[in-house]
Amino acid sequence: MTNWKLKDIWAEENGMTVTETTDTTATTEMTVDKRHLNGVGVCQGGALFTLADLAMAAVTNQTGKSVSTDANIRFLSPALEGEHLVCHCRIIKDGRLPVVEGEIRTAGKIIATFGGRDYRL
């Protein structure tokens, strides 16, 4: 793991980790298990959003503290129990209000795309 410096207890307790960071990118990962499933047996959207939010925080907090001002996610395919998810996020516009975008993938399919904006404190 790289120098990810903030502690995200919620993400950690839900099996999510930051596996790589650079000045402009971050990668987070998790394996879908029973605690992530919704009522129809697929990964709950909130778990996917948390994985994306963790990646957004990891990349925007590399140079100081920041908080999200807005974020969105588009669910494209269901994530199933046992699938390993990899989330890549990148800064597409840097500055006081960095803009980020990314995607969550598993073997062979895109699960979701997302984007957002932060405010550097």
Side-chain angles (χ1 to χ4, degrees):
M1 186 161 141
T2 58
N3 70 350
W4 175 240
K5 58 189 176 256
L6 299 178
K7 186 101 170 139
D8 189 320
I9 295 168
W10 173 259
E12 281 183 16
E13 288 186 0
N14 283 283
M16 301 169 196
T17 58
V18 177
T19 55
E20 184 177 350
T21 59
T22 70
D23 288 344
T24 59
T25 66
T27 302
T28 57
E29 299 183 32
M30 69 176 263
T31 299
V32 179
D33 63 32
K34 288 195 182 307
R35 69 185 146 175
H36 302 118
L37 301 181
N38 65 17
V40 297
V42 300
C43 187
Q44 201 252 12
L48 297 172
F49 202 100
T50 299
L51 186 65
D53 188 57
L54 180 62
M56 290 187 283
V59 71
T60 59
N61 281 283
Q62 287 301 314
T63 58
K65 291 184 179 180
S66 69
V67 294
S68 295
T69 61
D70 61 87
N72 63 73
I73 192 164
R74 178 173 287 136
F75 304 110
L76 303 174
S77 301
L80 307 176
E81 186 175 2
E83 289 186 314
H84 185 75
L85 305 180
V86 178
C87 175
H88 295 287
C89 181
R90 67 189 170 281
I91 294 176
I92 60 171
K93 180 183 179 295
D94 210 351
R96 183 74 177 204
L97 295 167
V99 178
V100 299
E101 68 178 16
E103 61 187 29
I104 301 170
R105 292 181 163 267
T106 190
K109 64 182 173 179
I110 299 174
I111 302 298
T113 60
F114 62 90
R117 185 174 52 176
D118 272 32
Y119 175 74
R120 289 210 167 106
L121 303 173

